[in-house]
Amino acid sequence: EVQLVESGGGLVQPGGSLRLSCAASGFTFSSYDMHWVRQATGKGLEWVSAIGTAGDTYYPGSVKGRFTISRENAKNSLYLQMNSLRAGDTAVYYCARGDILTGYYSYWGQGTLVTVSS
Amino acid sequence: EIVLTQSPATLSLSPGERATLSCRASQSVSSYLAWYQQKPGQAPRLLIYDASNRATGIPARFSGSGSGTDFTLTISSLEPEDFAVYYCQQRSNWPSYTFGQGTKLEIK
């Protein structure tokens, strides 16, 4: 059974840093592109970052230069290092697996809440 | 960036009725469009991929259509468990998979 379990969320002050983790199981982690998607309370979904199987990384302009996605295939783990956090980064952060054939997110974690507030 | 605009923002219907949700792209995404369902407190669930293909385990009452810039998700006869928020997503430009703002399907 495919499982994605996020951790590392919490309360952080503006300007602070936080590192999210996503533990994957039930599939060959190294064979899949992985993504982070966030959702502010009551709002829609926003793609935050992606990492390919070769370790290539991608970000939207809203987080580029502040967030870093990485993976550790030996530990079946995905990470998101978030620096210079702002109030607008407050959201539930989901990790999601990109389907090999279609690229869509057929599996998601349960999410971890990040709150940026003083 | 490709912008997806969903309409209506809220759709009020009764169980048994037919639901039609729309998603319009700011430029052509070919057939690279998906639909997700999200219930409160849950992660989104993939319903439809590549415009018209049902994901594994999705009931036949869900169907998708369209190509280019205009897409539709149809639920033929609403069940109580179908009341949720629905998002469209495009994968035309990997990996920037933008989402629409969502349509809330509520019980009338």
Side-chain angles (χ1 to χ4, degrees):
Chain A
E1 179 192 4
V2 172
Q3 282 198 317
L4 298 170
V5 179
E6 302 94 335
S7 61
L11 175 63
V12 61
Q13 292 188 337
S17 298
L18 210 56
R19 189 194 197 206
L20 306 183
S21 299
C22 173
S25 60
F27 64 101
T28 304
F29 179 73
S30 59
S31 297
Y32 289 82
D33 300 329
M34 297 296 296
H35 300 247
W36 288 98
V37 177
R38 69 184 178 185
Q39 185 173 37
T41 301
K43 303 297 184 182
L45 300 163
E46 180 187 15
W47 169 70
V48 170
S49 61
I51 186 165
T53 56
D56 42 317
T57 59
Y58 305 87
Y59 309 91
S62 57
V63 307
K64 196 168 188 177
R66 300 189 299 122
F67 289 11
T68 302
I69 188 173
S70 62
R71 64 191 303 161
E72 192 167 355
N73 291 335
K75 292 187 176 182
N76 291 333
S77 292
L78 177 72
Y79 305 103
L80 185 67
Q81 178 67 43
M82 303 185 294
N83 299 330
S84 303
L85 283 162
R86 309 164 180 167
D89 296 318
T90 295
V92 173
Y93 285 72
Y94 295 100
C95 66
R97 191 189 85 172
D99 187 85
I100 282 182
L101 294 179
T102 68
Y104 300 108
Y105 306 150
S106 47
Y107 291 96
W108 300 65
Q110 84 289 350
T112 187
L113 177 62
V114 172
T115 303
V116 184
S117 175
S118 54
Chain B
E1 177 183 298
I2 298 174
V3 176
L4 299 179
T5 302
Q6 293 185 238
S7 62
T10 303
L11 185 58
S12 300
L13 293 170
S14 301
E17 290 193 292
R18 181 185 187 90
T20 303
L21 287 68
S22 177
C23 178
R24 175 165 288 179
S26 59
Q27 63 190 77
S28 176
V29 297
S30 186
S31 294
Y32 298 134
L33 189 107
W35 291 93
Y36 295 84
Q37 177 194 66
Q38 187 179 34
K39 297 180 180 179
Q42 296 184 15
R45 176 176 71 146
L46 179 65
L47 299 175
I48 301 287
Y49 66 92
D50 286 347
S52 61
N53 299 287
R54 275 190 302 278
T56 302
I58 301 304
R61 64 180 181 274
F62 291 91
S63 63
S65 63
S67 66
T69 61
D70 291 297
F71 300 86
T72 301
L73 173 70
T74 301
I75 310 171
S76 59
S77 180
L78 286 166
E79 297 288 340
E81 63 266 28
D82 297 337
F83 292 92
V85 180
Y86 292 83
Y87 294 95
C88 57
Q89 179 202 34
Q90 63 81 23
R91 71 167 186 96
S92 176
N93 57 330
W94 193 95
S96 180
Y97 292 175
T98 50
F99 293 89
Q101 82 281 13
T103 289
K104 181 180 182 180
L105 179 56
E106 64 177 24
I107 298 176
K108 187 174 182 179

